[in-house]
Coordinates of all heavy atoms in Angstrom, one line a residue:
T1 N 0.9 -1.2 0.0 CA 0.0 0.0 -0.1 C 0.8 1.2 0.0 O 1.9 1.3 0.8 CB -0.9 0.0 1.3 OG1 -1.7 -1.1 1.3 CG2 -1.9 1.3 1.2
T2 N 0.5 2.1 -0.9 CA 1.3 3.4 -1.0 C 0.2 4.5 -0.9 O -0.9 4.3 -1.2 CB 2.2 3.5 -2.1 OG1 1.4 3.4 -3.2 CG2 3.3 2.5 -2.0
T3 N 0.6 5.8 -0.8 CA -0.2 6.8 -1.0 C 0.0 7.4 -2.3 O 1.0 7.3 -2.9 CB 0.0 7.9 0.1 OG1 1.3 8.5 0.0 CG2 -0.2 7.4 1.5
F4 N -1.1 8.1 -2.8 CA -1.1 8.7 -4.1 C 0.1 9.7 -4.2 O 0.8 9.9 -5.2 CB -2.3 9.5 -4.3 CG -2.7 9.5 -5.8 CD1 -3.4 8.5 -6.4 CD2 -2.2 10.5 -6.6 CE1 -3.7 8.6 -7.7 CE2 -2.5 10.7 -8.0 CZ -3.2 9.7 -8.5
A5 N 0.5 10.3 -3.2 CA 1.6 11.3 -3.2 C 3.0 10.8 -3.6 O 3.8 11.4 -4.0 CB 1.7 12.0 -1.8
T6 N 3.2 9.4 -3.4 CA 4.4 8.8 -3.8 C 4.6 8.7 -5.2 O 5.7 8.5 -5.7 CB 4.6 7.4 -3.2 OG1 3.5 6.7 -3.6 CG2 4.5 7.4 -1.6
G7 N 3.6 8.9 -6.0 CA 3.7 8.9 -7.4 C 3.5 7.6 -8.1 O 3.5 6.5 -7.4
L8 N 3.6 7.6 -9.4 CA 3.3 6.4 -10.2 C 4.5 6.3 -11.1 O 5.2 7.3 -11.4 CB 2.0 6.5 -11.0 CG 0.8 6.6 -10.2 CD1 -0.5 6.9 -11.2 CD2 0.5 5.2 -9.5
N9 N 4.8 5.1 -11.7 CA 5.8 4.9 -12.5 C 5.4 4.5 -13.9 O 5.2 3.4 -14.3 CB 6.7 3.6 -11.9 CG 8.1 3.6 -12.6 OD1 8.4 4.4 -13.5 ND2 8.8 2.6 -12.2
G10 N 5.3 5.7 -14.7 CA 4.9 5.6 -16.1 C 3.4 5.1 -16.3 O 3.2 4.2 -17.1
P11 N 2.5 5.8 -15.8 CA 1.1 5.6 -16.1 C 0.8 5.8 -17.5 O 1.2 6.8 -18.1 CB 0.4 6.5 -15.1 CG 1.3 7.7 -14.8 CD 2.7 7.0 -14.8
V12 N 0.1 4.8 -18.1 CA -0.3 5.0 -19.6 C -1.7 4.7 -19.9 O -2.2 5.1 -20.9 CB 0.6 3.9 -20.5 CG1 2.1 4.3 -20.4 CG2 0.4 2.5 -19.9
D13 N -2.5 4.2 -19.0 CA -3.9 4.1 -19.1 C -4.6 4.0 -17.7 O -4.1 3.6 -16.8 CB -4.2 2.7 -19.8 CG -5.6 2.5 -20.4 OD1 -6.2 3.5 -20.9 OD2 -6.1 1.4 -20.2
V14 N -5.9 4.5 -17.8 CA -6.7 4.5 -16.6 C -8.0 4.1 -17.0 O -8.6 4.3 -18.0 CB -6.8 6.1 -16.1 CG1 -7.7 6.3 -14.9 CG2 -5.4 6.6 -15.8
W15 N -8.7 3.4 -16.1 CA -10.1 2.9 -16.2 C -10.8 3.0 -14.8 O -10.3 2.6 -13.8 CB -10.1 1.5 -16.7 CG -11.4 0.8 -16.7 CD1 -12.4 1.2 -17.6 CD2 -12.1 -0.2 -15.9 NE1 -13.5 0.4 -17.4 CE2 -13.3 -0.5 -16.3 CE3 -11.5 -0.9 -14.8 CZ2 -14.1 -1.4 -15.7 CZ3 -12.4 -1.8 -14.2 CH2 -13.7 -2.1 -14.7
L16 N -12.0 3.7 -14.9 CA -12.9 3.7 -13.7 C -13.7 2.5 -13.6 O -14.6 2.4 -14.5 CB -13.6 5.0 -13.8 CG -14.6 5.2 -12.6 CD1 -13.8 5.3 -11.3 CD2 -15.5 6.5 -12.9
G17 N -13.4 1.6 -12.6 CA -14.2 0.4 -12.4 C -15.7 0.6 -11.9 O -16.0 1.7 -11.5
N18 N -16.4 -0.4 -11.9 CA -17.8 -0.4 -11.5 C -17.9 0.0 -10.0 O -19.0 0.5 -9.6 CB -18.5 -1.7 -11.8 CG -18.6 -2.0 -13.1 OD1 -18.4 -1.2 -14.1 ND2 -18.7 -3.3 -13.5
N19 N -16.8 -0.2 -9.3 CA -16.8 -0.1 -7.8 C -16.2 1.3 -7.4 O -15.9 1.6 -6.2 CB -16.1 -1.3 -7.1 CG -14.8 -1.4 -7.7 OD1 -14.3 -0.6 -8.6 ND2 -14.2 -2.4 -7.3
D20 N -16.1 2.1 -8.4 CA -15.5 3.5 -8.2 C -14.0 3.5 -7.8 O -13.4 4.5 -7.5 CB -16.3 4.4 -7.1 CG -17.6 4.8 -7.8 OD1 -17.7 4.9 -8.9 OD2 -18.6 5.0 -6.9
F21 N -13.4 2.3 -8.1 CA -11.9 2.2 -7.9 C -11.4 2.7 -9.3 O -12.0 2.5 -10.3 CB -11.4 0.8 -7.6 CG -11.6 0.4 -6.1 CD1 -12.5 -0.7 -5.9 CD2 -11.1 1.1 -5.1 CE1 -12.7 -1.1 -4.6 CE2 -11.3 0.7 -3.8 CZ -12.1 -0.4 -3.6
V22 N -10.2 3.4 -9.2 CA -9.6 3.8 -10.5 C -8.4 2.8 -10.7 O -7.6 2.7 -9.7 CB -9.1 5.3 -10.3 CG1 -8.3 5.7 -11.6 CG2 -10.3 6.2 -10.1
Y23 N -8.3 2.2 -11.7 CA -7.2 1.2 -12.2 C -6.4 1.9 -13.1 O -6.8 2.5 -14.0 CB -7.8 -0.1 -12.8 CG -8.8 -0.8 -11.8 CD1 -10.1 -0.5 -11.6 CD2 -8.3 -1.9 -11.0 CE1 -10.9 -1.2 -10.8 CE2 -9.0 -2.6 -10.2 CZ -10.3 -2.2 -10.0 OH -11.1 -2.9 -9.2
I24 N -5.0 1.9 -12.8 CA -4.0 2.5 -13.6 C -3.0 1.5 -14.1 O -2.3 0.7 -13.2 CB -3.3 3.6 -12.7 CG1 -4.2 4.5 -12.1 CG2 -2.2 4.3 -13.5 CD1 -3.9 5.2 -10.8
A25 N -2.7 1.4 -15.4 CA -1.7 0.6 -16.0 C -0.4 1.5 -15.8 O -0.2 2.5 -16.5 CB -2.0 0.2 -17.3
E26 N 0.6 0.9 -15.2 CA 1.9 1.6 -15.0 C 2.9 0.7 -15.9 O 3.4 -0.3 -15.5 CB 2.4 1.4 -13.5 CG 1.6 2.2 -12.6 CD 2.2 2.3 -11.2 OE1 3.1 3.0 -11.0 OE2 1.7 1.4 -10.4
Y27 N 3.2 1.4 -17.0 CA 4.1 0.8 -18.0 C 5.5 0.5 -17.4 O 6.0 -0.6 -17.5 CB 4.2 1.6 -19.3 CG 5.1 1.1 -20.3 CD1 4.6 0.1 -21.1 CD2 6.4 1.4 -20.6 CE1 5.3 -0.5 -22.2 CE2 7.2 0.8 -21.5 CZ 6.7 -0.1 -22.4 OH 7.5 -0.6 -23.4
N28 N 6.2 1.5 -16.8 CA 7.5 1.4 -16.3 C 7.6 0.6 -14.9 O 8.6 0.0 -14.6 CB 8.2 2.7 -16.1 CG 8.4 3.5 -17.5 OD1 8.6 2.8 -18.5 ND2 8.4 4.8 -17.5
G29 N 6.4 0.7 -14.2 CA 6.3 0.1 -13.0 C 5.8 -1.5 -13.1 O 6.0 -2.2 -12.2
C30 N 5.5 -1.9 -14.3 CA 5.1 -3.2 -14.5 C 4.0 -3.8 -13.5 O 4.0 -4.9 -13.1 CB 6.3 -4.2 -14.5 SG 7.5 -3.7 -15.8
T31 N 3.1 -2.8 -13.2 CA 2.0 -3.2 -12.3 C 0.7 -2.5 -12.9 O 0.7 -1.6 -13.6 CB 2.2 -2.6 -10.8 OG1 2.3 -1.2 -11.0 CG2 3.5 -3.3 -10.3
I32 N -0.4 -3.0 -12.3 CA -1.8 -2.4 -12.3 C -2.0 -1.9 -10.9 O -2.0 -2.8 -10.0 CB -2.9 -3.3 -12.8 CG1 -2.5 -3.9 -14.3 CG2 -4.1 -2.6 -12.8 CD1 -2.3 -2.9 -15.3
A33 N -2.1 -0.6 -10.7 CA -2.4 0.1 -9.5 C -4.0 0.2 -9.4 O -4.5 0.5 -10.4 CB -1.7 1.3 -9.3
R34 N -4.4 0.1 -8.2 CA -5.9 0.4 -7.9 C -5.9 1.5 -6.9 O -5.5 1.5 -5.8 CB -6.7 -0.8 -7.5 CG -8.1 -0.6 -7.2 CD -8.8 -1.7 -6.8 NE -8.5 -2.0 -5.3 CZ -9.0 -3.0 -4.6 NH1 -9.9 -3.9 -5.1 NH2 -8.7 -3.1 -3.3
F35 N -6.6 2.7 -7.3 CA -6.7 3.8 -6.5 C -7.9 3.8 -5.8 O -9.0 3.7 -6.4 CB -6.4 5.1 -7.2 CG -6.8 6.4 -6.4 CD1 -5.9 6.7 -5.4 CD2 -7.7 7.2 -6.8 CE1 -6.2 7.8 -4.7 CE2 -8.0 8.4 -6.1 CZ -7.1 8.7 -5.1
N36 N -8.0 3.9 -4.4 CA -9.2 3.9 -3.7 C -9.5 5.4 -3.4 O -8.8 6.0 -2.5 CB -9.1 3.1 -2.4 CG -10.4 3.1 -1.6 OD1 -11.1 4.0 -1.5 ND2 -10.5 2.0 -0.7
S37 N -10.5 6.1 -4.0 CA -10.7 7.5 -3.8 C -11.2 7.8 -2.4 O -11.3 8.9 -1.8 CB -11.7 8.0 -4.9 OG -13.0 7.4 -4.7
F38 N -11.8 6.7 -1.7 CA -12.3 7.0 -0.3 C -11.2 7.0 0.7 O -11.3 7.9 1.6 CB -13.5 5.9 0.1 CG -14.5 5.8 -1.0 CD1 -14.6 4.7 -1.9 CD2 -15.5 6.8 -0.9 CE1 -15.7 4.7 -2.7 CE2 -16.6 6.7 -1.7 CZ -16.7 5.6 -2.6
S39 N -10.2 6.2 0.6 CA -9.2 6.3 1.6 C -7.9 6.9 1.0 O -7.1 7.1 1.8 CB -8.7 4.8 1.9 OG -8.2 4.2 0.8
N40 N -7.9 7.4 -0.3 CA -6.9 8.2 -0.9 C -5.6 7.3 -0.9 O -4.5 7.8 -0.8 CB -6.7 9.4 -0.2 CG -6.1 10.6 -1.2 OD1 -6.3 10.4 -2.4 ND2 -5.4 11.5 -0.7
E41 N -5.6 6.0 -1.1 CA -4.6 5.0 -1.1 C -4.5 4.4 -2.5 O -5.5 4.1 -3.2 CB -4.7 4.1 0.0 CG -4.5 4.6 1.4 CD -4.6 3.5 2.4 OE1 -5.6 2.8 2.4 OE2 -3.7 3.5 3.3
I42 N -3.2 3.9 -2.9 CA -3.0 3.2 -4.0 C -2.6 1.9 -3.5 O -1.7 1.7 -2.7 CB -1.9 3.7 -4.9 CG1 -2.5 5.0 -5.6 CG2 -1.5 2.7 -6.0 CD1 -1.6 5.7 -6.5
F43 N -3.2 0.7 -4.1 CA -2.8 -0.7 -3.9 C -2.3 -1.3 -5.1 O -2.7 -0.9 -6.3 CB -4.0 -1.4 -3.4 CG -4.6 -0.9 -2.1 CD1 -5.6 0.0 -2.2 CD2 -4.2 -1.4 -0.9 CE1 -6.1 0.6 -1.0 CE2 -4.8 -0.9 0.3 CZ -5.7 0.1 0.3
R44 N -1.4 -2.2 -5.0 CA -1.0 -3.0 -6.2 C -2.1 -4.1 -6.4 O -2.3 -4.9 -5.7 CB 0.4 -3.6 -6.0 CG 0.9 -4.5 -7.2 CD 2.2 -5.2 -7.0 NE 3.2 -4.2 -6.7 CZ 4.2 -4.5 -5.9 NH1 4.3 -5.5 -5.2 NH2 5.2 -3.5 -5.6
F45 N -2.6 -4.0 -7.6 CA -3.7 -4.9 -8.1 C -3.2 -6.1 -8.7 O -3.6 -7.3 -8.5 CB -4.8 -4.1 -8.9 CG -5.9 -5.0 -9.3 CD1 -6.9 -5.4 -8.4 CD2 -5.9 -5.5 -10.5 CE1 -8.0 -6.1 -8.7 CE2 -7.0 -6.3 -10.9 CZ -7.9 -6.7 -10.0
A46 N -2.2 -5.7 -9.6 CA -1.5 -7.0 -10.4 C -0.1 -6.5 -10.6 O 0.3 -5.4 -10.8 CB -2.3 -7.1 -11.7
G47 N 0.6 -7.6 -10.8 CA 2.1 -7.4 -11.1 C 2.9 -7.4 -9.7 O 2.4 -7.2 -8.7
T48 N 4.2 -7.5 -10.0 CA 5.1 -7.5 -8.7 C 5.9 -6.3 -8.6 O 6.6 -6.0 -7.7 CB 6.1 -8.8 -8.7 OG1 6.9 -8.6 -9.9 CG2 5.3 -10.0 -8.9
G49 N 6.0 -5.5 -9.6 CA 6.8 -4.3 -9.7 C 8.2 -4.6 -10.3 O 9.0 -3.7 -10.5
V50 N 8.3 -5.9 -10.7 CA 9.5 -6.3 -11.5 C 9.0 -6.8 -12.8 O 8.2 -7.7 -12.9 CB 10.3 -7.5 -10.6 CG1 11.5 -7.9 -11.4 CG2 10.7 -7.0 -9.3
C51 N 9.7 -6.2 -13.8 CA 9.2 -6.6 -15.2 C 9.7 -8.0 -15.6 O 10.9 -8.3 -15.3 CB 9.7 -5.6 -16.2 SG 9.1 -3.9 -15.8
S52 N 9.0 -8.7 -16.3 CA 9.3 -10.1 -16.7 C 8.6 -10.3 -18.1 O 7.4 -10.2 -18.2 CB 9.0 -11.1 -15.8 OG 9.3 -12.4 -16.3
D53 N 9.4 -10.9 -19.1 CA 8.8 -11.2 -20.3 C 8.3 -12.7 -20.4 O 7.8 -13.3 -21.4 CB 9.8 -11.0 -21.6 CG 10.0 -9.6 -21.8 OD1 9.1 -8.7 -21.6 OD2 11.1 -9.2 -22.3
T54 N 8.6 -13.4 -19.3 CA 8.3 -14.8 -19.2 C 6.8 -15.0 -18.7 O 6.4 -14.6 -17.6 CB 9.2 -15.6 -18.1 OG1 10.4 -15.3 -18.5 CG2 8.9 -17.0 -18.1
P55 N 5.9 -15.6 -19.7 CA 4.5 -15.8 -19.3 C 4.4 -16.8 -18.1 O 5.1 -17.8 -18.0 CB 3.9 -16.5 -20.5 CG 5.0 -16.3 -21.7 CD 6.2 -16.1 -20.9
M56 N 3.6 -16.3 -17.1 CA 3.3 -17.1 -15.9 C 1.8 -17.1 -15.6 O 1.2 -16.2 -16.0 CB 4.1 -16.5 -14.8 CG 5.6 -16.5 -14.9 SD 6.5 -15.7 -13.6 CE 6.2 -16.9 -12.3
Q57 N 1.4 -18.1 -14.9 CA 0.0 -18.3 -14.4 C 0.1 -18.0 -13.0 O 1.1 -18.5 -12.3 CB -0.6 -19.6 -14.8 CG -0.8 -19.7 -16.3 CD -1.5 -21.0 -16.7 OE1 -1.9 -21.7 -15.8 NE2 -1.7 -21.3 -17.9
G58 N -0.9 -17.6 -12.4 CA -0.9 -17.4 -11.0 C -1.8 -16.3 -10.4 O -2.4 -15.6 -11.2
I59 N -1.6 -16.1 -9.2 CA -2.4 -15.0 -8.5 C -1.8 -13.6 -9.0 O -0.6 -13.5 -9.1 CB -2.2 -15.0 -7.0 CG1 -2.8 -16.4 -6.5 CG2 -2.9 -13.9 -6.3 CD1 -2.6 -16.7 -5.0
A60 N -2.7 -12.6 -9.4 CA -2.3 -11.4 -10.1 C -1.2 -10.6 -9.3 O -0.3 -10.0 -9.9 CB -3.5 -10.6 -10.2
T61 N -1.2 -10.7 -7.9 CA -0.3 -9.8 -7.2 C 1.1 -10.4 -7.0 O 2.1 -9.8 -6.6 CB -0.8 -9.5 -5.9 OG1 -1.2 -10.7 -5.2 CG2 -2.1 -8.6 -5.9
V62 N 1.3 -11.7 -7.5 CA 2.6 -12.4 -7.4 C 3.0 -12.8 -8.7 O 4.1 -13.5 -8.8 CB 2.6 -13.6 -6.4 CG1 2.3 -13.0 -4.9 CG2 1.6 -14.6 -6.8
T63 N 2.4 -12.5 -9.8 CA 2.7 -12.8 -11.1 C 3.4 -11.5 -11.8 O 2.6 -10.5 -11.9 CB 1.6 -13.3 -11.9 OG1 1.1 -14.5 -11.2 CG2 2.0 -13.8 -13.3
P64 N 4.5 -11.6 -12.3 CA 5.1 -10.4 -13.0 C 4.4 -10.1 -14.2 O 3.9 -10.8 -15.0 CB 6.6 -10.8 -13.3 CG 6.9 -12.1 -12.5 CD 5.4 -12.7 -12.2
L65 N 4.4 -8.8 -14.5 CA 3.9 -8.3 -15.8 C 4.9 -7.7 -16.7 O 6.1 -7.5 -16.1 CB 2.8 -7.2 -15.6 CG 1.6 -7.6 -14.9 CD1 0.7 -6.4 -14.6 CD2 0.8 -8.6 -15.7
S66 N 4.8 -7.5 -17.9 CA 5.9 -6.9 -18.7 C 5.3 -5.6 -19.4 O 4.7 -5.8 -20.5 CB 6.3 -8.0 -19.8 OG 7.1 -7.4 -20.7
N67 N 5.4 -4.6 -18.8 CA 5.2 -3.3 -19.3 C 3.6 -3.2 -19.8 O 3.3 -3.1 -20.9 CB 6.0 -2.9 -20.4 CG 7.4 -3.0 -20.0 OD1 8.2 -3.8 -20.5 ND2 7.9 -2.0 -19.1
P68 N 2.7 -3.4 -18.9 CA 1.2 -3.3 -19.2 C 0.9 -1.9 -19.9 O 1.4 -0.9 -19.4 CB 0.5 -3.4 -17.8 CG 1.4 -3.0 -16.8 CD 2.8 -3.4 -17.4
I69 N 0.0 -2.0 -20.9 CA -0.3 -0.7 -21.6 C -1.8 -0.4 -21.5 O -2.2 0.8 -21.9 CB 0.1 -0.8 -23.1 CG1 -0.5 -2.0 -23.8 CG2 1.6 -0.9 -23.3 CD1 -0.4 -2.0 -25.3
A70 N -2.7 -1.3 -21.1 CA -4.1 -1.0 -20.9 C -4.6 -1.8 -19.9 O -4.3 -2.9 -19.5 CB -4.8 -1.2 -22.3
V71 N -5.7 -1.2 -19.3 CA -6.5 -2.0 -18.3 C -8.0 -1.5 -18.5 O -8.3 -0.4 -18.7 CB -6.1 -1.7 -16.8 CG1 -6.2 -0.2 -16.6 CG2 -6.9 -2.4 -15.8
C72 N -8.9 -2.5 -18.4 CA -10.4 -2.3 -18.5 C -11.1 -3.4 -17.8 O -10.4 -4.4 -17.2 CB -10.8 -2.1 -20.0 SG -10.7 -3.6 -20.9
G73 N -12.4 -3.2 -17.7 CA -13.1 -4.3 -17.1 C -14.6 -4.5 -17.7 O -15.0 -3.7 -18.6
D74 N -15.4 -5.3 -17.2 CA -16.7 -5.5 -17.6 C -17.7 -5.4 -16.5 O -17.3 -5.2 -15.3 CB -16.9 -6.9 -18.3 CG -16.6 -8.1 -17.3 OD1 -16.8 -8.0 -16.2 OD2 -16.3 -9.1 -18.0
S75 N -19.0 -5.6 -16.8 CA -20.0 -5.3 -15.8 C -20.1 -6.4 -14.7 O -20.7 -6.2 -13.7 CB -21.4 -5.2 -16.5 OG -21.7 -6.4 -17.2
L76 N -19.4 -7.5 -14.9 CA -19.3 -8.5 -13.9 C -18.2 -8.3 -12.9 O -18.1 -9.3 -12.1 CB -19.3 -9.9 -14.7 CG -20.5 -10.3 -15.6 CD1 -20.1 -11.5 -16.4 CD2 -21.7 -10.4 -14.9
G77 N -17.4 -7.4 -13.1 CA -16.3 -7.2 -12.3 C -15.0 -7.8 -12.7 O -14.1 -7.8 -12.0
N78 N -14.8 -8.3 -13.9 CA -13.6 -8.9 -14.4 C -12.8 -7.8 -14.8 O -13.2 -6.9 -15.5 CB -14.0 -9.9 -15.5 CG -14.8 -11.1 -15.0 OD1 -14.4 -11.8 -14.1 ND2 -15.9 -11.3 -15.7
I79 N -11.5 -7.9 -14.7 CA -10.6 -6.9 -15.0 C -9.7 -7.5 -16.1 O -9.2 -8.6 -15.9 CB -9.7 -6.5 -13.8 CG1 -10.4 -6.0 -12.7 CG2 -8.7 -5.4 -14.3 CD1 -11.3 -4.8 -12.9
Y80 N -9.4 -6.8 -17.2 CA -8.6 -7.3 -18.3 C -7.4 -6.4 -18.5 O -7.5 -5.2 -18.4 CB -9.4 -7.2 -19.6 CG -10.7 -8.2 -19.5 CD1 -11.9 -7.5 -19.2 CD2 -10.5 -9.5 -19.6 CE1 -13.0 -8.3 -19.0 CE2 -11.7 -10.3 -19.5 CZ -12.9 -9.8 -19.2 OH -14.0 -10.5 -19.0
I81 N -6.3 -7.0 -18.7 CA -5.0 -6.3 -18.8 C -4.3 -6.5 -20.1 O -4.2 -7.7 -20.6 CB -4.0 -6.6 -17.7 CG1 -4.6 -6.4 -16.3 CG2 -2.6 -6.0 -17.8 CD1 -3.9 -7.1 -15.2
T82 N -3.9 -5.6 -20.8 CA -3.0 -5.7 -22.1 C -1.7 -5.5 -21.7 O -1.3 -4.5 -21.2 CB -3.4 -4.7 -23.2 OG1 -4.8 -4.8 -23.5 CG2 -2.7 -5.0 -24.4
D83 N -0.8 -6.6 -21.8 CA 0.6 -6.6 -21.3 C 1.4 -6.9 -22.4 O 1.4 -7.8 -23.1 CB 0.7 -7.5 -20.1 CG 2.0 -7.6 -19.4 OD1 2.6 -6.4 -19.5 OD2 2.4 -8.7 -18.9

């Protein structure tokens, strides 16, 4: 967990989810961040913060991403990442 004041590392796409969370694709940070406007905090939603080109399966927060460029979702609450 970090605060919004610490900054983001290369944000390239933003999506406002159904639950009023803001999802941010961080290209240089190799993560998807989730901003909670109620608590004013940013949480790592996906990625480890270490870039990797090796495809892996697993839980989103422990699986590396490789420079994500987009994030979006659907009405069922599924989140999609273009990496």
